[in-house]
Amino acid sequence: MANIINGKAISAAIRAELKEETEAFFKKTGVRPGLAVIIVGEDPASQVYVRNKRRACEEVGFYSEAYELPAETTQTELNALVDRLNADPAIHGILCQLPLPKHLDENEVILRIDPQKDVDAFHPTNVGKIMIGDYSFLPCTPAGVMALLERSGIDITGKECVVVGRSNIVGKPQAMLLLHANGTVTVCHSRTKNLAEVCRRADILVAAIGKADFFTADMVKEGAVVIDVGMNRRADGTLTGDVDFESVAPKASFITPVPGGVGPMTITMLMQNTLTAAKQAVN
Ligand code: NDP
């Protein structure tokens, strides 16, 4: 049976460290890291995320503001809010919860957020920095995966890493971070041929496709490290990952559960980015 990577415990340990760092930073500079979260419309899942982000800010000692805008907010109004937050010295990180209602242009918002306050690392300036390995903000979910690997003592150098999924927020930056950590990286997607065969090559398999229980034991090499980024709702409302945990866990050396694996790390990495942004702002 695999070692189960406890994302909840690792996340709690990192948050405790961040809280200490935040207090030390405040003592030295008088500045409290500030995060503004914008949400437009009444998507219940997004509302839960925003609440969790607020709670995480309190836990690590940040200042936070939440803007819950009505669904009919115009692009001009949203842009004006972003401009105001860009100029506000008490705010070091700005996050606009996606997806936005259809009449709003997500790209326009991403481009408008000051790259130095872009704690989601979605702005092309920060995406470009990630590509060349000169980054201050790490994309939250892939950074969470890297922290889980590191804190579980898993060495990436020279390992066959297979990332399944090529989205801008998970798969692509994940592949880049593994490459910077000296992994030999393959990226798979919906057009990949012989997916099971490619996955079986992996020493480290990262599943990020959004299909419940898709990765079964026959797709995993004996002793592989299996990281499940997927978050899918079953018909009964319970949460499940992309990996069929029951069949894969006995074969893997390490595995992340869902819930309690990658999920808790994402917000923690957002807190890390916000502290980094505050430190950069005072320098
Ligand atoms: P997207 O839908 O943006 O991307 C899915 C990717 O998976 C695409 O690249 C797609 O390929 C690929 N894919 C889909 N079906 C298959 C298949 N059958 N075989 C191979 N590849 C396939 O999703 P995200 O990247 O945003 O999210 C992925 C998962 O991670 C979701 O379950 C999401 O909920 C979860 N997630 C979890 C987070 C966390 O905090 N734990 C944060 C963000 C996401 P193609 O490009 O060819 O279409």
Side-chain angles (χ1 to χ4, degrees):
M1 184 70 177
N3 292 298
I4 295 174
I5 299 178
N6 187 338
K8 246 179 155 171
I10 293 175
S11 170
I14 297 175
R15 284 190 199 188
E17 291 163 19
L18 285 173
K19 185 177 161 73
E20 264 183 38
E21 251 186 87
T22 300
E23 284 319 308
F25 172 70
F26 179 69
K27 272 202 189 112
K28 197 167 133 204
T29 62
V31 174
R32 203 157 272 293
L35 176 70
V37 179
I38 306 170
I39 174 173
V40 187
E42 267 136 39
D43 176 39
S46 294
Q47 284 173 330
V48 171
Y49 292 140
V50 170
R51 246 196 326 271
N52 289 343
K53 282 165 188 168
R54 201 156 196 181
R55 215 171 290 145
C57 281
E58 277 166 24
E59 198 184 323
V60 297
F62 290 179
Y63 167 71
S64 75
E65 291 178 359
Y67 293 87
E68 303 194 19
L69 308 180
E72 55 278 10
T73 300
T74 65
Q75 189 82 44
T76 311
E77 287 165 336
L78 184 56
N79 289 349
L81 174 59
V82 170
D83 290 348
R84 185 159 72 67
L85 295 170
N86 278 341
D88 185 343
I91 296 298
H92 305 100
I94 304 169
L95 180 148
C96 183
Q97 190 68 48
L98 303 179
L100 289 170
K102 296 239 173 322
H103 68 284
L104 295 171
D105 184 342
E106 290 183 358
N107 261 338
E108 194 172 329
V109 180
I110 288 171
L111 284 172
R112 202 155 187 116
I113 292 174
D114 179 346
Q116 298 193 322
K117 297 191 177 188
D118 168 40
V119 284
D120 255 339
F122 288 169
H123 192 287
T125 298
N126 289 320
V127 175
K129 283 186 170 180
I130 290 157
M131 184 84 176
I132 57 176
D134 160 26
Y135 34 70
S136 37
F137 301 137
L138 291 169
C140 297
T141 301
V145 169
M146 299 306 282
L148 288 179
L149 291 171
E150 195 191 325
R151 290 192 183 229
S152 304
I154 296 160
D155 187 19
I156 297 162
T157 299
K159 297 276 168 66
E160 288 277 352
C161 304
V162 175
V163 178
V164 192
R166 57 172 164 181
S167 71
N168 288 334
I169 63 164
V170 185
K172 281 187 211 159
Q174 186 68 72
M176 208 45 71
L177 297 189
L178 289 164
L179 185 61
H180 289 314
N182 300 317
T184 301
V185 183
T186 305
V187 184
C188 301
H189 45 78
S190 67
R191 315 282 176 88
T192 296
K193 295 216 169 83
N194 306 321
L195 180 66
E197 199 181 308
V198 180
C199 290
R200 273 197 300 272
R201 289 209 308 256
D203 299 312
I204 300 174
L205 176 66
V206 181
I209 67 170
K211 298 239 151 69
D213 308 322
F214 180 91
F215 293 85
T216 42
D218 59 304
M219 301 173 84
V220 176
K221 179 166 83 177
E222 194 74 47
V225 173
V226 179
I227 305 291
D228 190 353
V229 180
M231 286 204 304
N232 314 291
R233 289 264 165 221
R234 290 198 189 93
D236 64 3
T238 54
L239 199 63
T240 184
D242 288 350
V243 175
D244 176 28
F245 189 89
E246 295 298 311
S247 78
V248 171
K251 230 175 157 183
S253 58
F254 287 87
I255 191 166
T256 60
V258 178
V262 176
M265 296 297 289
T266 299
I267 296 185
T268 299
M269 294 297 112
L270 175 71
M271 299 298 115
Q272 174 119 54
N273 282 345
T274 305
L275 179 57
T276 301
K279 286 183 173 173
Q280 286 177 347
V282 299
N283 274 337

